[in-house]
Amino acid sequence: MLDADTYSSLSALDIAREVNAGQLSAVEVAAAALELAEQRGPGYGAFSCLAPDHGMADARRTDARIAAGERLSLAGVPCPIKDLNQVAGLPWEAGSAALRGNRASVDDPIVGWFADAGTSMVGKTATPEFGLPCYTEPDTGAPAVTPWDPTRSAGGSSGGAAAAVAAGIVPIAHGSDGGGSIRIPASVCGLVGLKVSRGLISSGNRPPGPGLGIDGVLTRTVRDTALALDVLAGPRPGDTYWAPTASGGYLTACERAPERLRIGLLTAPVIAADAEVHPACLDAANRAATLLEGLGHEIVECPVPFPDSQWQAFASVWAVGALSIPLPPEAEAALTPLTRWLREAGRTSTALEYAQALAAIQLLTLQVAEAWADYDIVLTPTLAQPPAPTGSLRDDADPAADFAAQTRFTPWTSIYNLTGRPAISLPLHTARVDGPESPELPIGVMLGGKFGAEDTLLGLAAALEQVAPWGRPNLG
């Protein structure tokens, strides 16, 4: 039997290697994951529901495939699915009381992509209502909190996924990122979180819309992120556009440290010029710059690429996206104040204003490309503040203030959703922000790359992980 400590110490790469070699069975790995999910999951608000029958059935299929001679990229790796995506037969509430009791009748395509690679789907992870805010405090369950300090939020909207990985329950968890929703929880939970280039991972049978959101994973290591990307990247039937994939794959890219790069350091907030940047977040970016210089890269100052007033195009498209969620009129009263406020903003937007917002995003994308043309990588803090105390960003009495607080907390992440460029958050720094006796908190840094340059980002991230390996929370 696989004990909890041994299981939690294994990466996805370790598990797949052992299961493929017959040294571990997928069934015993899934059993260990489900036991830990029951023990630790509730304390961190990680799961909206567990799926022991589904997870064990997946594991048995994987063991049968291995016995038949197959070798699978993610053989036996427990991997829950974020509750924005459907898994047939399981609850699908998307963090909303308006969907309480709803069950999915079909699988989202990404469920099948993970299953084909050998994962065990052990549950659905918590998300805020429809993934809209950068904190995970759903009306359908407990808030997701960071295992580093359970009084603080796990971020959002992939907060449950991040809590599950940081707590050692699973080595990898599905997430999605429409404005920072993988990178934000990665930062506050001390994880690796990659938002890939637009079109690198297919939207499957879901309409791509304006192209802000994209699927991905949260992991504890750079190579686990690369391993998952090798599974998920590439066009699927029906895609009308796609980003080029890396020659040789992404796990291989981790073995190639990039030659000397020109890296722009940007610590001024972008989408909210009045955002206060915490000293710990500045320290994190500056420490990362020092590490990168030590690896032979050039660090230079980087300009703010556009005035924050231009970011309103994102806000307009975000609001129309909230309005586009198909809900019956009677469901409106069950929505959170923030969701209702966003939907009302979308409702008052004219067709011309929405078209102008989409055009403004295209122009902003060009501006960023021109402003950052001379930089291979742009380095920023991931967030302007350390992990936020639970409830400190949410403001049901004033949703406009809630939304503004979120922009000040995340003044860099959504640039990459607007432009379609890739960005990765790495847990390169920790700080005790409330005095020497306070809990140590993870502080993420973000590396943004040129479109389609995930191989460069992952190679650089792997080099940083080697020279400055990060730790894990003390779970007591």
Side-chain angles (χ1 to χ4, degrees):
M1 180 168 176
L2 186 60
D3 67 86
D5 288 342
T6 300
Y7 163 71
S8 287
S9 71
L10 298 175
S11 68
L13 201 57
D14 293 333
I15 291 171
R17 184 185 303 114
E18 294 294 301
V19 172
N20 276 316
Q23 300 301 310
L24 282 175
S25 73
V27 165
E28 64 182 317
V29 174
L34 285 161
E35 182 177 0
L36 275 183
E38 290 179 355
Q39 292 173 358
R40 299 179 183 175
Y44 301 117
F47 293 92
S48 61
C49 72
L50 293 179
D53 291 344
H54 196 298
M56 295 305 289
D58 282 349
R60 287 191 291 271
R61 277 192 294 272
T62 292
D63 283 338
R65 292 170 69 187
I66 297 300
E70 288 190 65
R71 294 298 175 263
L72 306 172
S73 298
L74 292 171
V77 176
C79 179
I81 299 293
K82 185 176 176 179
D83 196 31
L84 293 185
N85 299 65
Q86 299 186 66
V87 179
L90 293 182
W92 176 48
E93 297 179 339
S96 177
L99 296 183
R100 197 185 300 275
N102 189 54
R103 284 187 175 267
S105 58
V106 297
D107 279 341
D108 186 280
I110 202 166
V111 177
W113 303 341
F114 277 121
D116 288 346
T119 64
S120 300
M121 208 299 296
V122 294
K124 303 291 295 293
T125 56
T127 184
E129 189 164 74
F130 305 120
L132 294 171
C134 70
Y135 49 78
T136 300
E137 299 171 16
D139 288 350
T140 52
V145 295
T146 175
W148 293 76
D149 178 359
T151 70
R152 295 176 182 264
S153 171
S157 62
S158 305
V165 176
I169 298 169
V170 291
I172 185 173
H174 164 253
S176 53
D177 192 317
S181 289
I182 286 174
R183 291 158 290 151
I184 295 162
S187 179
V188 301
C189 290
L191 302 174
V192 178
L194 172 65
K195 178 264 174 203
V196 300
S197 299
R198 183 176 297 145
L200 185 61
I201 296 173
S202 173
S203 59
N205 61 2
R206 289 170 283 118
L212 299 179
I214 200 159
D215 287 293
V217 295
L218 290 115
T219 71
R220 293 190 292 266
T221 74
V222 173
R223 281 174 173 78
D224 276 1
T225 290
L227 178 66
L229 188 54
D230 277 332
V231 167
L232 298 176
R236 308 279 177 169
D239 288 351
T240 55
Y241 66 87
W242 51 86
T245 55
S247 174
Y250 296 101
L251 189 57
T252 300
C254 293
E255 309 305 322
R256 300 192 304 267
E259 296 182 1
R260 184 175 174 84
L261 299 172
R262 181 176 170 85
I263 298 175
L265 174 62
L266 173 61
T267 57
V270 177
I271 72 164
D274 63 340
E276 179 183 350
V277 184
H278 193 281
C281 300
L282 295 174
D283 289 345
N286 288 323
R287 177 171 182 257
T290 299
L291 290 169
L292 289 163
E293 282 185 318
L295 290 171
H297 303 292
E298 178 188 10
I299 306 295
V300 294
E301 291 298 318
C302 182
V304 171
F306 54 84
D308 63 350
S309 59
Q310 287 185 246
W311 182 81
Q312 288 306 311
F314 179 95
S316 298
V317 172
W318 199 247
V320 172
L323 179 63
S324 301
I325 298 165
L327 292 170
E330 61 271 18
E332 204 78 19
L335 300 175
T336 64
L338 176 67
T339 301
R340 291 200 304 269
W341 177 79
L342 285 168
R343 284 168 67 85
E344 184 57 32
R347 198 172 282 117
T348 59
S349 178
T350 67
L352 177 59
E353 288 169 340
Y354 182 67
Q356 288 173 333
L358 292 177
I361 289 174
Q362 292 176 332
L363 292 173
L364 185 146
T365 300
L366 178 60
Q367 274 181 265
V368 171
E370 291 175 341
W372 291 352
D374 293 335
Y375 308 99
D376 300 299
I377 299 289
V378 173
L379 166 66
T380 68
T382 304
L383 301 171
Q385 294 290 319
T390 302
S392 62
L393 294 175
R394 181 169 177 169
D395 188 346
D396 286 352
D398 189 349
D402 179 321
F403 192 75
Q406 292 185 61
T407 64
R408 290 192 295 271
F409 188 64
T410 62
W412 299 283
T413 55
S414 61
I415 297 169
Y416 296 94
N417 302 88
L418 289 166
T419 61
R421 291 175 169 226
I424 190 169
S425 181
L426 299 175
L428 286 173
H429 192 63
T430 59
R432 300 183 189 276
V433 300
D434 293 325
E437 302 303 316
S438 65
E440 192 172 46
L441 299 175
I443 309 291
V445 298
M446 188 164 61
L447 301 170
K450 294 181 182 293
F451 186 84
E454 280 80 1
D455 53 347
T456 299
L457 275 181
L458 289 166
L460 187 61
L464 284 166
E465 185 177 19
Q466 184 173 359
V467 298
W470 39 82
R472 296 173 62 173
N474 180 2
L475 301 178

